[in-house]
Amino acid sequence: MNQSVQSYEMAIFVRIAERGSFAAAASDFELSPSAVSKIVTRTERRLGVSLLTRTTRRLSLTQEGEVYLERARTILDAITDAEAEVSQGRESPSGRLRISCGTAFGMHFLVPALSDFQNQFPLIDVELNITDRQVDLVAEQIDIGVR
């Protein structure tokens, strides 16, 4: 089974446990209560255990359901944290930026602008190479070359 399907099913199970009903969880996921029930049944079959005790008036977690709930919450929190960490990198550029430029351009234009740039992008480590010699951009791993 696809791991993204399993994490979706875990999220539904967690919501059922939190909300105490199939109908409430179904509403949160814009599914029918019968679809949510089928998902739980499929999960229970896959695991070979009952996760919930169902009566006409109440749902309760089995011992295995308690264990699964705890682990599912940990896993879903880890997924959320991983996605936040990765997407945060897109919000704030970071890393090393290697720039090579000639002496006149570097001293008159780049060096004065560097302070503002680093204030705006504090996670970028700028490595500035000011030289009038010919530079091999590939060999020296230069990101930006201005001549």
Side-chain angles (χ1 to χ4, degrees), residues 12 15-16 21-36:
I12 291 172
R15 190 62 54 90
I16 291 167
S21 80
F22 286 123
S27 176
D28 290 348
F29 283 90
E30 297 180 2
L31 297 170
S32 68
S34 65
V36 168

Side-chain angles (χ1 to χ4, degrees), residues 56-115:
T56 55
R57 296 177 179 236
R58 190 166 176 242
L59 288 175
S60 61
L61 294 169
T62 63
Q63 186 176 0
E64 293 85 359
E66 292 280 348
V67 171
Y68 189 73
L69 176 62
E70 184 180 326
R71 294 299 301 260
R73 282 182 171 150
T74 301
I75 290 166
L76 294 171
D77 288 346
I79 290 169
T80 300
D81 291 348
E83 289 179 353
E85 188 175 324
V86 169
S87 66
Q88 185 179 28
R90 280 187 265 150
E91 294 171 9
S92 301
S94 63
R96 177 166 294 174
L97 178 62
R98 292 181 174 105
I99 303 172
S100 179
C101 64
T103 304
F105 181 81
M107 297 307 283
H108 292 345
F109 297 101
L110 220 47
V111 170
L114 199 53
S115 178

Side-chain angles (χ1 to χ4, degrees), residues 26-50:
S27 176
D28 290 348
F29 283 90
E30 297 180 2
L31 297 170
S32 68
S34 65
V36 168
S37 178
K38 288 176 186 175
I39 288 169
V40 171
T41 300
R42 185 172 51 233
T43 303
E44 289 175 327
R45 275 195 211 122
R46 187 179 72 247
L47 298 173
V49 297
S50 292

